Structure formats: structure tokens, C-alpha cells
Amino acid sequence: MAVKKKYPALGRGLSALIDTEDEIITAGSSSIHEVAIEKIKANPNQPRHEFDKTALFELGKSIQEFGIIQPITLRQMEDGYYQIISGERRWRASQQVGLTKIPAYIRTADDENMMEMALVENIQRQDLNPIEIALAYQKLIDQYNLTQDQLSDKVGKSRTAIANFIRLLKLPAPVQLALQDHSIDQGHARALLALKDPTLQNELLKEIKKQGYSVRQVEEMVKLLNAGEVVKSGKTRLKKPSASLPDEYNALKMRLSQFFKTKVQMTCSTAGRGRITIPFNSEEELVSIIGLFDKMKE
């Protein structure tokens, strides 16, 4: 069973070494060993896939100055090598500065516990971006045939939170990449999920990055698009693809366009719900349209 150990806030150099958030120290691993770096392998199930080069360089410089303050955690493999449970950043930075040995806790863990511990350790330190977390959750569910409720118990997150992360994997690849490189945040991504058309999701993504829209602004734009409205963003006009109307509805739309002397828009769902939009380009056109409504009352 994992025992969480907290450390007080330290200066920039030391905090880079020990990641001042919660660090997983596994039960039964109280003794520290010096392990040859060449005998250590990365965990292939490590949820984090991106390691900032600048941050690793700074960590390496700190290690050169102070040494390794917080041991990494390993498990011994049958081939005599060791696999990382937590502390891959420290291991990578130590390699870069030429260390040959690194202090480590050693424990035994099966593959499922390895993935679980690596995931929990990274989430606790908030090292993963949302897509990496979503992929890690999905891998645990698929590989070990878990339900979202079971996964919730294992990683200490609510089922709703897990479901919200996994939903992000339904987004088009450009949106997922933007979330990974922090071009947008998770709020933007959740708003884009409400649009079911991938092409429109990608178009709105471009406008978010170009115009710097807030999450609230994107939510409002999505509402308008889902209602069949045309949304103008800079020089771009965004429009939800409309389903083809039955012939009788198209005939009605043409009659309304002729009557109001403007291009009337009409949408209609399979359930019979729809919207009629009467656009105008000037105050004079609006007055003319209102006048036509007034005549219908007579």
C-alpha cells in the first residue's frame, strides 16, 4: 500500500529535484539502494510521454550541484534490470549529466500495479496533460477490463472526472494536439465536444487560436452553431452543416424568401423540430420585414 510523504516548500533548485508535490513511497521499501543507471529501464506504461528539454536541463544542473535529494522508486525485473515506478525525470536528468548510479527504493509490483502507481504518482504531481491522463485511464480500462467505477476506486478520482477525461479522446487529432501543447485548455476542449461535426470543431479551433477566445465565448459560439446560426469570427463565417430538407420544406423556404425578399434559412430535425431565420443587412430591410408582419395581422 502506498504511503504518501510530503516535503516542505524549498528553493527552485531543490524543488526541481524532489517535485514538492506528493511523492509515492511504496510500503516495504524503506531502505535506499545505489543502482547503476545502465541497469534501469523506463516504464513502457508511463502515462507521461513528453519531457520538457529545458526543464530536464535545469534539473540536471541542479543534480550536479546538490545531488539526488529524493530517491526514485524501482521494481526489479526477472532479467536483472530495474523498471521505474516513479522518478523518470530524475533518471533522465542524471543520465544527461553523466551520473553512473542513482539512489532508489526497490519494490516488487505486478504490471497492473505498475501502471496504476505511475498514473497516480503523476496525477498527484499534476505532471500529465489532459490527453495523457485520458489515454492512461483508457489503457487501464482496456488492458485490465475495468469499469470506470473500478478505476475511480483505484486512482482516487470521481467517475465523472474520469469520464470527462476519456471523452476528450473523441475530439479530432488537431484539437487533441492543441490541448497537449497548451494552445487551448480543457474548458475549450469540453466546449468543442458539444459540436458533433469534426470539420466544424477544427474550424472553431483555428478561430480560438487566432482570436484568443475565452472558454465562455466558445461556449456561446457553440450554442449558436448548434442552433443553426451563422457565427462570424474575424473574416471567417462558421456554419453548422445542415441536413438536407425534404422537398416540401425547401419549397416553403423558397416561398418565404420570396415573400420577405431575403434569403430565409430553415433547419429541421428528424423529430420535426426546426428554426426559421430571416436575415437582414440594414435597418431599412428590418423595417421592411416588420412591415410585412404588420400586413399579415390586418
Side-chain angles (χ1 to χ4, degrees):
M1 180 172 139
V3 179
K4 296 178 186 176
K5 186 173 180 180
K6 287 193 174 182
Y7 292 83
L10 299 172
R12 177 180 174 85
L14 294 180
S15 65
L17 292 179
I18 67 173
D19 294 326
T20 55
E21 299 293 333
D22 292 355
E23 168 77 14
I24 288 188
I25 307 299
T26 53
S29 304
S30 57
S31 59
I32 300 174
H33 303 263
E34 287 284 334
V35 179
I37 280 184
E38 64 181 16
K39 299 292 288 184
I40 299 172
K41 297 179 179 179
N43 177 4
N45 289 326
Q46 157 71 274
R48 190 210 313 197
H49 303 291
E50 296 179 0
F51 294 86
D52 184 88
K53 292 181 180 180
T54 301
L56 277 179
F57 175 79
E58 292 177 353
L59 178 55
K61 299 295 287 184
S62 295
I63 287 173
Q64 280 184 316
E65 184 175 355
F66 298 105
I68 297 291
I69 305 297
Q70 174 63 47
I72 68 173
T73 305
L74 307 172
R75 72 159 175 170
Q76 189 163 10
M77 308 294 289
E78 292 181 357
D79 59 5
Y81 282 82
Y82 296 88
Q83 194 174 82
I84 297 172
I85 293 177
S86 67
E88 186 169 339
R89 286 182 68 249
R90 277 162 278 163
W91 172 65
R92 288 176 178 271
S94 297
Q95 286 179 300
Q96 287 184 359
V97 297
L99 293 190
T100 58
K101 292 184 177 181
I102 188 171
Y105 297 103
I106 310 296
R107 68 150 294 162
T108 303
D110 60 30
D111 289 336
E112 180 174 356
N113 285 336
M114 279 285 295
M115 179 66 172
E116 182 183 332
M117 286 186 291
L119 177 60
V120 172
E121 191 257 351
N122 278 281
I123 290 174
Q124 285 176 342
R125 294 205 319 262
Q126 297 180 331
D127 281 339
L128 303 182
N129 64 56
I131 295 300
E132 287 175 325
I133 293 174
L135 288 169
Y137 283 155
Q138 190 62 58
K139 185 169 185 177
L140 275 173
I141 287 171
D142 294 341
Q143 190 166 343
Y144 302 109
N145 197 29
L146 301 175
T147 66
Q148 290 186 1
D149 285 328
Q150 290 170 328
L151 182 58
S152 171
D153 292 336
K154 283 182 174 291
V155 301
K157 297 288 182 180
S158 71
R159 191 201 64 77
T160 301
I162 290 171
N164 285 338
F165 274 110
I166 290 176
R167 286 177 66 230
L168 298 175
L169 300 179
K170 296 179 179 179
L171 289 165
V175 181
Q176 292 191 35
L177 289 171
L179 192 53
Q180 283 186 291
D181 65 20
H182 309 292
S183 299
I184 62 173
D185 63 31
Q186 202 169 337
H188 291 111
R190 283 197 298 267
L192 289 173
L193 278 167
L195 288 172
K196 301 307 179 185
D197 182 75
T199 301
L200 192 54
Q201 288 173 326
N202 286 330
E203 288 178 3
L204 185 49
L205 169 67
K206 293 176 185 176
E207 295 307 306
I208 294 169
K209 295 167 74 172
K210 188 188 304 180
Q211 307 294 340
Y213 290 128
S214 68
V215 172
R216 183 57 183 268
Q217 287 174 310
V218 175
E219 289 173 343
E220 291 300 320
M221 295 170 77
V222 168
K223 285 181 183 177
L224 291 172
L225 289 167
N226 281 335
E229 302 286 348
V230 176
V231 174
K232 187 175 181 181
S233 173
K235 295 181 179 180
T236 304
R237 289 169 63 86
L238 301 172
K239 181 182 177 182
K240 183 179 180 181
S242 55
S244 58
L245 292 170
D247 290 342
E248 59 268 27
Y249 282 87
N250 274 319
L252 176 58
K253 186 175 76 168
M254 290 180 62
R255 287 181 60 189
L256 289 172
S257 296
Q258 293 169 355
F259 179 76
F260 289 108
K261 296 181 175 59
T262 186
K263 193 173 181 180
V264 171
Q265 301 295 327
M266 178 183 292
T267 61
C268 184
S269 70
T270 54
R273 295 178 181 175
R275 178 186 295 265
I276 294 174
T277 304
I278 305 173
F280 56 89
N281 295 313
S282 66
E283 186 176 340
E284 289 75 15
E285 286 188 12
L286 174 60
V287 171
S288 174
I289 291 169
I290 293 173
L292 291 171
F293 276 112
D294 288 338
K295 286 182 180 179
M296 286 191 287
K297 293 179 182 178
E298 298 173 356

